[in-house]
Amino acid sequence: MLRRLPILLLLIGVVRTPAAQPVDTLRVQLFTGFQPDVLAVESTTAARIYAEDFARPLLRLPAGAMLLVDRRGNELRLRTSEGTIFARWIRIYPEEGGHLRLTARRPGQTSGPFTYPGWIQIAPDPSGLQVLNHVALEDYVAGVLAREHHFDDLESTKALSVAIRTYTLRRLQTSDTLLDHAAHQMYEGIDRVTPLIREAVEQTRGEVLTYQGELIEAVYFAASGGHTANNEDVWDGVPLPYLRGRPDPYDRNAPFQHWEASVPRQRLLEILSQKYGTRITGFRIGTHSPDGRVATIELLRERGDPLTIRANEFRLLVNAHFGRHTLRSTYFTARRQGDTYHFEGKGFGHGVGLSQYGALEMSRQGYSYRDILAFYYPGTELHLYEAGPLLAAGSSSEAPDDFSPPPARTPAASPEVTTPAASGATRPVVAVGWSATPTRTVERPTRHRIGW
């Protein structure tokens, strides 16, 4: 079981203390890529502000009061209604039950406000401010769910909560800091967290997916277009047995069965030329993966042979400059119409792992979250995570073509809860591959989607 440990121990006198951190607490860099010049901080309760690693508070911020933080050389300038203070870096802790509300600003732009659980650390950075949120694992999972999964459906939300938790813990085996954008997972605090999300997180608390005893790469996306993708066809890397492309009959009702997009030809060629350091005069579709997605794009150069890149790399570059909904997937065709490139496709996202719309449809058909995980991550096992070394950074870390839905059976009894294993371990809950006969729950009314 995950344990919440006291975040701060107040000591008498001005002494430096080691930066101890609970084992179930993550460190997430906020406003990644935004590079704020100024951060506005409010707390829902009174908050204490500490300079560097001193144990005595530098100042107390009343509930609802505003603190403005910006950089002055190698120091932070802290401004309140009471005056101005300077510090090299700071920590801000709300009182018990409180949250911090942050708004990031730079000339002409604002990001937020967003409400964050836990506590934050702010330090000067050459590009502005570095903001870190120290947050409990399950609160982080709820925050990512609120940003990544927008369905008012319990079973699909539970499935994604397991995927998010697994992805997070695996990521932390190679990095001690998570990023709050799509390079890792989107996280904008807890403003959008609903009671259903809280229920899904609580019902799956501590559950993770493993393959042969290792946390899996639990990637997910919006809609498959009718077929999921092999991981090696989308990204560099070895084929993973649980990330095999397969027909996806649960995606048929997804809203992205057909999409179109147009991109100005000259602007795209300029972007490609700048990115790859050579004059690009056009492009053509290269190879296709077995599922029909575009696997590679050939960039035509003014001199020399074509430059071959992965189609997903091409998609992300286009989306970075023309909007994230431009090329929704690599399931597309392309043609030139005068000074415009026109694309037509289906699906939304990279296509590897769990389809969120597919998970929603499986839930509507009465399948449980374990069934959903079994279909999209075949051969994996569901385990309970024990807080410990899995959260410490620095460690290293063929599906049949003729898929048919699993047979229904009477729900099995819940597994017996036993004494937790040693710290850092995982223990089995239930196998989630199709070899373990999946449970199909009773049909229930469809719940509405609450956004996308």
Side-chain angles (χ1 to χ4, degrees):
M1 295 289 290
L2 296 174
R3 295 187 300 138
R4 297 182 181 276
L5 302 181
I7 291 179
L8 182 65
L9 180 63
L10 295 178
L11 302 179
I12 299 176
V14 181
V15 295
R16 293 184 180 272
T17 59
Q21 176 146 301
V23 292
D24 67 340
T25 298
L26 319 179
R27 186 167 70 174
V28 186
Q29 183 170 331
L30 306 181
F31 307 107
T32 309
F34 185 80
Q35 299 177 342
D37 293 326
V38 179
L39 188 71
V41 182
E42 293 179 86
S43 179
T44 58
T45 62
R48 289 181 172 86
I49 303 172
Y50 296 80
E52 304 160 33
D53 53 0
F54 287 99
R56 175 171 290 177
L58 180 66
L59 61 91
R60 184 177 183 275
L61 187 70
M66 176 74 70
L67 169 70
L68 295 177
V69 183
D70 60 2
R71 180 171 64 93
R72 286 294 179 268
N74 294 324
E75 291 186 314
L76 297 177
R77 180 176 65 168
L78 286 62
R79 290 174 288 164
T80 70
S81 59
E82 302 298 319
T84 300
I85 312 176
F86 291 85
R88 287 193 298 173
W89 56 273
I90 61 171
R91 296 167 289 136
I92 307 178
Y93 299 83
E95 291 185 353
E96 185 175 356
H99 300 110
L100 297 172
R101 193 158 178 81
L102 310 183
T103 304
R105 300 170 185 159
R106 64 184 184 187
Q109 291 183 293
T110 298
S111 180
F114 303 122
T115 303
Y116 294 96
W119 57 279
I120 65 168
Q121 178 180 329
I122 308 172
D125 183 86
S127 58
L129 298 174
Q130 182 191 68
V131 186
L132 299 175
N133 181 206
H134 297 251
V135 54
L137 172 62
E138 301 299 335
D139 285 340
Y140 173 77
V141 171
V144 173
L145 263 173
R147 184 60 178 80
E148 296 275 17
H149 193 64
H150 306 145
F151 301 124
D152 186 13
D153 174 85
L154 183 59
E155 292 303 307
S156 67
T157 306
K158 287 163 65 177
L160 199 68
S161 70
V162 174
I164 289 169
R165 187 180 298 108
T166 305
Y167 182 92
T168 299
L169 293 175
R170 182 179 169 107
R171 177 69 63 176
L172 286 171
Q173 290 180 337
T174 56
S175 174
D176 63 356
T177 303
L178 300 168
L179 305 180
D180 66 345
H181 64 57
H184 289 177
Q185 298 178 107
M186 296 297 293
Y187 172 66
E188 293 177 346
I190 57 174
D191 293 292
R192 304 182 191 182
V193 173
T194 64
L196 182 136
I197 287 175
R198 289 290 185 197
E199 182 181 359
V201 172
E202 188 58 36
Q203 287 191 19
T204 63
R205 175 175 286 270
E207 291 184 9
V208 294
L209 287 169
T210 66
Y211 183 82
Q212 296 183 351
E214 299 291 332
L215 292 169
I216 73 164
E217 190 74 42
V219 288
Y220 51 91
F221 59 96
S224 70
H227 203 294
T228 62
N230 296 324
N231 67 285
E232 72 275 13
D233 292 333
V234 177
W235 307 298
D236 292 331
V238 299
L240 297 174
Y242 52 84
L243 294 180
R244 300 294 81 207
R246 67 191 310 174
D248 184 2
Y250 303 109
D251 191 73
R252 292 168 186 161
N253 295 323
F256 304 107
Q257 294 304 311
H258 180 264
W259 51 260
E260 298 183 22
S262 295
V263 172
R265 177 177 177 272
Q266 194 56 43
R267 178 62 182 138
L268 177 57
L269 296 182
E270 289 173 358
I271 291 168
L272 292 169
S273 299
Q274 182 177 13
K275 169 70 175 178
Y276 297 104
T278 183
R279 185 161 182 259
I280 304 299
T281 59
F283 75 89
R284 65 190 177 208
I285 290 177
T287 60
H288 288 81
S289 57
D291 57 34
R293 285 177 171 81
V294 179
T296 61
I297 295 288
E298 295 180 357
L299 304 180
L300 308 180
R301 294 190 273 192
E302 189 173 40
R303 294 183 179 85
D305 295 331
L307 175 65
T308 300
I309 63 172
R310 285 193 176 273
N312 195 56
E313 180 180 340
F314 176 81
R315 178 180 76 91
L316 295 177
L317 183 63
V318 169
N319 291 350
H321 291 273
F322 298 102
R324 65 181 294 265
H325 291 179
T326 305
L327 295 185
R328 289 182 167 90
S329 73
T330 55
Y331 238 143
F332 64 76
T333 60
R335 67 180 185 274
R336 177 181 170 183
Q337 294 178 315
D339 293 331
T340 302
Y341 287 122
H342 185 72
F343 300 86
E344 292 187 45
K346 59 181 178 178
F348 194 172
H350 49 69
V352 183
L354 182 146
S355 164
Q356 291 171 264
Y357 273 98
L360 176 65
E361 180 60 26
M362 287 189 73
S363 178
R364 286 172 170 170
Q365 292 186 23
Y367 291 104
S368 72
Y369 78 101
R370 291 175 177 175
D371 300 330
I372 295 168
L373 295 171
F375 177 66
Y376 288 108
Y377 305 112
T380 59
E381 293 184 331
L382 196 61
H383 284 74
L384 281 178
Y385 156 75
E386 305 297 339
L390 278 179
L391 254 180
S395 59
S396 59
S397 82
E398 202 141 350
D401 293 332
D402 54 341
F403 168 77
S404 56
R409 73 171 176 86
T410 304
S414 298
E416 182 179 357
V417 177
T418 58
T419 303
S423 179
T426 58
R427 52 188 172 88
V429 177
V430 64
V432 296
W434 285 139
S435 57
T437 308
T439 300
R440 186 169 183 167
T441 55
V442 268
E443 194 78 20
R444 55 183 177 277
T446 298
R447 297 185 178 183
H448 66 282
R449 181 167 62 89
I450 58 173
W452 185 253

